[in-house]
Amino acid sequence: DIVMTQSPDSLSVPLGERATINCKSSQSVLYSSNNKNRLAWYQQKPGQPPKLLIYWASTRESGVPDRFSGSGSGTDFTLTISGVQAEDVAVYYCQQYKSSPITFGPGTKVDVK
Amino acid sequence: QVQLVQSGSELKKPGASVKVSCKASGYTFNKYNMNWVRQAPGQGLEWMGWINTESGNPVYAQGFTGRFVFSLDTSVTTAYLEISSLKPEDTAVYYCLKDGGGIKDWVLDNWGQGTLVTVSS
């Protein structure tokens, strides 16, 4: 199984500042057929189901604000929130879909100061 | 728009069974596979497996074989998760999730609202 890790476990970011969340996979999630990474990011607000933010490591899902961006390749990935808003308080999960079983990172909790 | 509406919370005793439903609408049901994910209280996300909505063939992740059954009723565009011989450690929120399909194959692009199953004597 591909093991996903995230850092930090939590972070508190001043309103309007940048938040950076890291995700690492135990094996490369690069898909050789199209040279893209099978890595997604989800946002889970309190009391709600997770919501897809980004797939293929850097493609924003329709309707997701452009302050959310994803980057990275191979085994190391980053989710950046540029200009954190109050409504971004949530737990963020990375997920690999390169191989079965699908696996998620443990989550990073983001608070806004 | 795509909607996945799950059945309500359940309180069950150990050893009982529960069946969670997931009613899909807003898309062609048998063109996108359905996944299930478990989230124990205060914990992260655990993928349980998926069911092919065209063939009805289920695939279970390790740890979800034996007591867990995925099924479909395509006539009412509904997927089901049945758990038998419930244990207290099965207490969790269970989510159904639509696969994105195509270039979003295996991307979980729509989630049900979740069903809390509580197992307690």
Side-chain angles (χ1 to χ4, degrees):
Chain A
D1 297 3
I2 297 178
V3 177
M4 308 299 290
T5 56
Q6 290 181 231
S7 62
D9 294 335
S10 64
L11 71 162
S12 187
V13 182
L15 191 68
E17 296 296 300
R18 173 177 295 192
T20 301
I21 300 168
N22 300 301
C23 172
K24 193 173 182 69
S25 57
S26 61
Q27 303 169 33
S28 174
V29 298
L30 183 66
Y31 188 52
S32 55
S33 296
N34 62 3
N35 207 37
K36 291 186 175 186
N37 293 275
R38 296 183 77 115
L39 189 286
W41 289 96
Y42 298 85
Q43 173 195 62
Q44 186 175 29
K45 295 183 178 181
Q48 294 185 22
K51 171 190 166 186
L52 175 66
L53 294 177
I54 284 169
Y55 57 99
W56 290 123
S58 61
T59 302
R60 249 187 321 272
E61 173 71 334
S62 175
V64 172
D66 60 8
R67 64 179 181 274
F68 291 93
S69 63
S71 63
S73 185
T75 61
D76 292 278
F77 301 90
T78 300
L79 175 70
T80 302
I81 312 173
S82 303
V84 166
Q85 303 298 304
E87 62 263 32
D88 299 334
V89 169
V91 178
Y92 293 83
Y93 295 93
C94 60
Q95 172 231 332
Q96 68 80 22
Y97 51 103
K98 170 77 184 303
S99 65
S100 184
I102 287 171
T103 48
F104 294 89
T108 294
K109 185 174 182 180
V110 172
D111 265 327
V112 178
K113 289 183 191 173
Chain B
Q1 78 281 21
V2 173
Q3 277 199 301
L4 300 173
V5 179
Q6 297 184 226
S7 47
S9 298
E10 301 267 10
L11 174 60
K12 296 289 184 181
K13 294 193 183 307
S17 295
V18 68
K19 193 167 187 176
V20 175
S21 66
C22 170
K23 167 72 176 172
S25 62
Y27 70 98
T28 304
F29 182 70
N30 63 356
K31 288 206 178 300
Y32 301 91
N33 296 323
M34 192 71 78
N35 292 255
W36 291 91
V37 161
R38 179 171 77 177
Q39 186 169 37
Q43 301 299 308
L45 304 166
E46 191 174 15
W47 183 70
M48 301 172 65
W50 62 285
I51 184 165
N52 184 313
T53 52
E54 193 170 22
S55 67
N57 187 45
V59 175
Y60 301 98
Q62 205 167 6
F64 295 100
T65 55
R67 297 189 300 117
F68 299 83
V69 176
F70 307 148
S71 61
L72 305 169
D73 184 341
T74 55
S75 68
V76 290
T77 63
T78 299
Y80 300 94
L81 163 66
E82 186 164 17
I83 312 171
S84 58
S85 303
L86 282 162
K87 306 174 182 181
E89 52 264 41
D90 293 325
T91 295
V93 175
Y94 292 85
Y95 293 102
C96 61
L97 310 88
K98 172 188 160 290
D99 185 285
I103 62 166
K104 290 165 66 177
D105 213 15
W106 292 107
V107 176
L108 309 173
D109 69 353
N110 282 275
W111 295 56
Q113 84 275 20
T115 297
L116 173 62
V117 175
T118 303
V119 184
S120 174
S121 52

